[in-house]
Amino acid sequence: MTDVNQQPPSPILFRRARPADLAAAWRVVGAARDRLLALGRCQWDAAYPAPSDVEADIRGGHAYVCDEDGQVVAYGAIAIDGEPAYDALAGRWSRPGSYAVVHRLCVAPTALRRGVARRFLHEAEALARAAGAASMRIDTNYDNAEMLALLGSEGYVRCGTVRYGRGERLAFDKPLDVPPHR
């Protein structure tokens, strides 16, 4: 039985982050970082990501948000110009050529388990396709169960590992001529 007074969920707007979004975007990223640390996950540490990373993403034009009723409910960086760490992949990408990458994809605690991360990923793929990228790439830690499940359900394939100063990450890609899951 549905409550006749219940309002349908508000539409979520995907857009490029603006400088005015810095504080709200950092709240989303900081909450996600703190949640992972509290769970004992090794994705990030107390020093990374930092507000300066979000600020650099915004300044560089790579920062995007999902906005619901004027509130930032998701944040991520999307780069079409590559990722230097991916040049040293221990493994093999499934598709050579141009690619886009998503980093720091986070969802606000109030928006978890509502499909917001999936929506962000679909929008990132659409941006990459429009820019002519052949594939989408992303990396995550071996213990980030939610991201691993999302990537698997969206057709991403593990291609190997990449190394950053803070550790090794599992690397995934998805050819962009594959129709998006809806």
Side-chain angles (χ1 to χ4, degrees):
M1 183 167 152
T2 47
D3 180 352
V4 293
N5 296 319
Q6 185 179 10
Q7 297 294 319
S10 299
I12 293 176
L13 172 67
F14 176 83
R15 62 176 175 79
R16 189 181 301 264
R18 302 180 286 260
D21 295 317
L22 177 60
W26 172 247
R27 279 192 297 275
V28 172
V29 175
R33 182 188 70 181
D34 293 348
R35 186 172 57 252
L36 289 172
L37 290 172
L39 291 169
R41 307 264 181 91
C42 300
Q43 177 78 31
W44 294 329
D45 59 32
Y48 178 85
S52 59
D53 296 303
V54 175
E55 185 176 25
D57 291 341
I58 292 171
R59 212 176 31 254
H62 301 297
Y64 289 82
V65 297
C66 287
D67 177 313
E68 184 176 41
D69 292 329
Q71 300 296 311
V72 172
V73 296
Y75 172 84
I78 304 168
I80 308 294
D81 53 357
E83 164 56 59
Y86 289 4
D87 293 342
L89 175 75
R92 184 171 171 217
W93 296 112
S94 65
R95 170 81 44 102
S98 65
Y99 65 91
V101 60
V102 172
H103 283 304
R104 294 179 285 288
L105 175 53
C106 306
V107 176
T110 58
L112 291 172
R113 289 175 281 292
R114 291 182 25 216
V116 177
R118 185 176 310 279
R119 165 76 187 278
F120 189 101
L121 203 53
H122 290 174
E123 295 287 355
E125 291 170 5
L127 280 175
R129 279 186 190 93
S135 65
M136 194 78 189
R137 295 179 183 173
I138 193 165
D139 62 83
T140 193
N141 205 52
Y142 69 92
D143 63 356
N144 192 336
E146 295 81 6
M147 182 59 79
L148 291 169
L150 174 63
L151 295 175
S153 72
E154 288 298 318
Y156 284 76
V157 175
R158 183 174 169 200
C159 297
T161 58
V162 293
R163 179 160 290 286
Y164 294 99
R166 58 190 191 285
E168 193 173 81
R169 300 290 180 259
L170 304 177
F172 297 81
D173 76 357
K174 175 182 177 179
L176 288 177
D177 54 1
V178 174
H181 290 73
R182 297 286 176 191

